[in-house]
Every structure is written in structure tokens, then in C-alpha cells.
Amino acid sequence: MANFSGLWPHAKLVRLVRLRSEKLEDFGHGPPLAEESGDPTFAIVVPCYNYARFLQAAVNSVLSQDVRLKLLIVDDHSSDETERVGRDIAEGDGRVVFIRHRENKGHIHTYNEGIEWAEGELFSILSADDLLAPGALKRAARFMMRDPRLGMMYGRALYFDGDASDEAISTINASDQSKEDNEDDICILDAETFYQMNIDANIVQACSVVTRTSLQKQLGGYCPELPHAGDYEMWLRFAAHALVGYVPRFQVASRMHPRNMSKSYDLANDIRQRLCALDVLSKTCADLLPDSYSALRTRLAKQALHATWRSNAAGNLSEARSLIAMANQLDPTLRSNIISMKCEISHIIGPNIWNKVREIKKYSSSKIFNTDNTP
């Protein structure tokens, strides 16, 4: 049974986008530049590690797009049939190049290898277990070439379970039947707006992103020290240098299965990685960061403090101590915050006593407010 989800971003954020992006002149970037002529060429990279069973479908979703493109499949030393599948695909289509690593180098190295290889005007990375939506690249080309101030664009993702790829594409086709692409379909975001939209988490589905190749090469590759938050840092880096486009249409279908890479990250590691990403931005884009960069740090600090409760309750005192340290590093002013003080007290007295105190407080509150409405 297929399970579809992923109205991405959420409707609340879409409303925010439309409110903040009605007039391009409001951003201080001036009127749109002249439209670039000609059909652009896409450079698409499909990294693959032990996803042989998904690879053909992912590649087919790219090669069926009605655009000019070159596709690079990078086998990161898989132990399954990825090499055989990848070589067969490349031999059957001149647009496809296949390479295999002699040893596993990790996804960040593979992404950066793809950036170095890329030629043409537009660039994208598609995970080997995901699918491009029909018409996604042509739509991206239309918007990106219309306004050269756009450095990247992204869209909605439809999430589907396991092998329900045909149903996912049918759902996307049904959703798009009554729609036509026009200027009103895309929301143009400045750095201030984009940072605000990402204040709680990275809301951009990576495989829906298309970037301008020239700017991608100028900004460089993904940070090796950010295996989990590399895409988060990359999108914020792009937003600091150029406008970002969001199209509220399905651009990608993302497969959910037990081996999804994102399933291996816990909350503490996610916070740690996003902290590192913000620190990288403060060094590489210091003069370009919007005012909302500070709000990103404060919100992440508060998330770290709230995560301390869970770590402390679970008896993981070292993680709790690390989370408090991260919160203080992100926003030192929070040291006087009541939440920070409670976190430090709970850490000092330990999880057993703290949980007892919380139980007593909860019991007392229920008696005071007489929740069962008895006389």
C-alpha cells in the first residue's frame, strides 16, 4: 500500500513565501535582467552506493526529461550490482558517463567530484533511490533562464514508500494536469526570507534543487566536515550570494525505505552539524549574511536546550553536557534564560532526582487545578 506525503514546504511556509515575494524590486536587486537565450544544458550527477535495485528507475527519470543533458553515475565502490547496472546504462545511452571508485569515498567527496565534472548552464544531484518528476528539469530551465539573478531553485517533494514509484509518478502527473507554468508559479526569495524559512530546520529537499553551474563552481563544493548538514550549509551559502526560487510544484519523488541515509542521524548530531554549518557560514560569508542569521543561531540554541531534557531524562549526561555547551556557543545570552538554568540544574542533580521532581510537580498541578472536576 503506497503512503504518500510531503507537501513541501508546509502550507504555512508557502503563504509566508508569497507574502514576502510579491515584488522583486522590494529586494533591492533591481528589475529582472534580460532573459538568457537558448536552451540550457543540464549536468546531472547520480551518486550510488549499494542502490543497484533503484538505479535504473532513477536514471530513467532523468533521461526521459525533455531537455539537453549529460548524466554522471558515480559508483562509490558498491558491493551489489551497481557496477553492472551502471555500465549497461552508459553503454546504451551516449548522454551517460559511468565511473566507479576503487574505494568508498563517501557522499560528500562524490558530490564534489560531480561539481568538478559538471559542464553546461545548470546542475543538479539526484540520489539513486529518488526520481525526478516529469517535466521537472524543463520547468527549472524556464525559471532559471528567465531571471539570471536566481542562483538556485527548488520545489516540492512527494514522499513514497518502498517500491510504489509508479503510483508516485501517477500522483504527480494527476496533480500537474490542470496547471501551466507561468511567472506566478515561482516565488523569488531574498536571503532574509530564505533564512527565516529555514529557521527551525532545513526545509529544502536536496534532490529538488537545481543550481546555476557557474555559481556552483564559484562557491565551491560541499564541506567534508558536514556529512549531515552539508546541503543545509550549501543552500544558505547560495542564498547569501543570489536569489533563490521556489516553485510550488512536485519536482522530485523521494523514496522512503529502511536504508535512507537520513535515518542514521539523531537529534543531538543534527544540532551539532547545523551548528558547524552556521560557523562555516560566519567565516565564508560574513559580509553577506542577512540579519536573520542571528535568529537562526538563537533558534538552534533553544532547540539544543530543549534536547537536553531528553538526553538528561535518558541518563545520557555527557550528551546533555554537550548540548548545553552548544547552546551557549550559539547564543551566550541564553545562559540567563530560565530554560538554560533548568537544564543546568537537571544536569547537576541527575536524571533520577530530576524526573522525581517533575513527577511531584505534575501531581501537585493536577491537585491544584482539580483536573477531574471533583468538588
Side-chain angles (χ1 to χ4, degrees), residues 146-158:
R146 176 183 299 160
D147 192 340
R149 296 171 305 164
L150 288 174
M152 64 170 269
M153 68 160 287
Y154 69 101
R156 293 170 66 189
L158 179 73

Side-chain angles (χ1 to χ4, degrees), residues 96-346:
V96 182
V97 176
F98 174 84
I99 61 173
R100 174 177 167 84
H101 291 158
R102 294 183 178 180
E103 60 183 9
N104 182 265
K105 297 185 177 180
H107 62 284
I108 295 295
H109 182 280
T110 302
Y111 296 170
N112 291 341
E113 190 174 6
I115 292 172
E116 292 180 7
W117 163 85
E119 296 180 353
E121 291 80 13
L122 301 175
F123 174 77
S124 185
I125 297 174
L126 178 70
S127 295
D129 54 342
D130 290 342
L131 305 168
L132 278 183
L137 296 186
K138 192 168 186 178
R139 185 178 300 117
R142 181 179 296 114
F143 289 131
M144 293 289 284
M145 305 310 286
R146 176 183 299 160
D147 192 340
R149 296 171 305 164
L150 288 174
M152 64 170 269
M153 68 160 287
Y154 69 101
R156 293 170 66 189
L158 179 73
Y159 293 88
F160 67 97
D161 286 342
D163 297 322
S165 56
D166 290 341
E167 295 176 60
I169 296 302
S170 295
T171 300
I172 290 174
N173 286 334
S175 171
D176 286 347
Q177 273 184 352
S178 61
K179 299 177 181 177
E180 295 182 2
D181 295 325
N182 55 62
E183 290 184 1
D184 294 332
D185 278 338
I186 191 167
C187 302
I188 310 296
L189 312 171
D190 64 348
E192 186 69 35
T193 305
F194 186 75
Y195 276 50
Q196 285 284 353
M197 291 176 63
N198 285 271
I199 197 167
D200 289 314
N202 176 14
I203 67 166
V204 179
Q205 209 288 343
C207 293
S208 75
V209 172
V210 171
T211 65
R212 202 172 297 279
T213 309
S214 57
L215 182 57
Q216 178 73 78
K217 288 179 177 288
Q218 176 187 330
L219 298 183
Y222 291 79
C223 296
E225 62 268 31
L226 296 173
H228 172 43
D231 54 350
Y232 175 69
E233 185 274 332
M234 181 64 76
W235 314 148
L236 296 177
R237 198 191 321 171
F238 262 94
H241 288 83
L243 295 178
V244 175
Y246 166 70
V247 57
R249 303 279 291 276
F250 288 120
Q251 290 290 94
V252 67
S254 185
R255 190 188 308 268
M256 307 303 292
H257 57 90
R259 294 189 61 243
N260 282 124
M261 190 164 52
S262 59
K263 293 182 183 290
S264 63
Y265 302 121
D266 56 33
L267 179 59
N269 188 49
D270 174 71
I271 292 172
R272 186 175 294 108
Q273 281 281 287
R274 283 193 283 153
L275 165 59
C276 291
L278 294 180
D279 285 345
V280 168
L281 285 170
S282 69
K283 297 173 184 176
T284 60
C285 305
D287 297 334
L288 300 172
L289 295 175
D291 293 340
S292 50
Y293 170 80
S294 297
L296 280 180
R297 295 189 68 93
T298 298
R299 182 64 62 90
L300 186 57
K302 291 180 178 179
Q303 290 178 352
L305 289 177
H306 283 290
T308 302
W309 301 113
R310 182 183 303 176
S311 298
N312 196 55
N316 193 341
L317 301 184
S318 61
E319 181 176 271
R321 184 184 299 112
S322 176
L323 286 165
I324 291 175
M326 284 189 279
N328 290 333
Q329 180 181 344
L330 283 159
D331 189 346
T333 65
L334 290 182
R335 290 190 67 91
S336 59
N337 185 289
I338 187 65
I339 297 177
S340 179
M341 294 172 65
K342 285 184 177 181
C343 287
E344 297 199 25
I345 291 172
S346 69

